[in-house]
Amino acid sequence: MTEIEGVATVTDADFEAVVRAPGLPVLVEFTADWCGPCRQLAPVLGAVARQEADRLRVVQIDVDANPATAAKYAVLSMPTLMVFRDGEPVKSMVGARPKRRLLQELDDVVGPLGV
């Protein structure tokens, strides 16, 4: 799994604690080492994490190493991006996308983000 600056890595063991923590909405990337589009998305997620750190928390989870969480949320394709607000999933997106499009898609759940 690609380490991304500004993006924390979570596991089956700590996923609930991190995602259900009070505060900012959480954008979770479900990823895997073998996933080419996930590698393409890495710099986008890093930029969004740094740019929107005061309004959005960004984390990633490796589905191969953490199958329970992927199964719980019925994640079948990589990358899947899921936004959690107050511990509940409120939006799901599949596939890599450019930064501008990702920010636009997050607007309805996080509020307008810098484009």
Side-chain angles (χ1 to χ4, degrees):
M1 184 170 68
T2 306
E3 291 293 322
I4 307 169
E5 182 183 343
V7 177
T9 298
V10 295
T11 65
D12 282 345
D14 64 1
F15 184 88
E16 293 294 320
V18 170
V19 170
R20 292 190 181 277
L24 299 175
V26 181
L27 172 62
V28 179
E29 179 201 22
F30 291 85
T31 186
D33 284 336
W34 47 263
C35 171
C38 298
R39 288 189 292 278
Q40 291 176 320
L41 190 58
V44 171
L45 288 178
V48 169
R50 289 187 300 276
Q51 178 182 323
E52 304 297 340
D54 58 334
R55 301 175 58 203
L56 179 71
R57 183 163 188 207
V58 182
V59 301
Q60 62 180 352
I61 185 166
D62 183 322
V63 298
D64 291 329
N66 301 282
T69 302
K72 178 176 181 175
Y73 294 102
V75 173
L76 302 174
S77 301
M78 283 1 101
T80 290
L81 300 171
M82 204 171 283
V83 180
F84 289 79
R85 181 185 291 277
D86 300 322
E88 297 300 321
V90 294
K91 184 171 186 114
S92 183
M93 303 163 278
V94 176
R97 61 236 315 117
K99 180 181 166 193
R100 177 179 293 274
R101 180 170 159 216
L102 176 58
L103 291 171
Q104 289 169 341
E105 289 178 296
L106 292 171
D107 277 357
D108 59 336
V109 289
V110 181
L113 300 173
V115 178

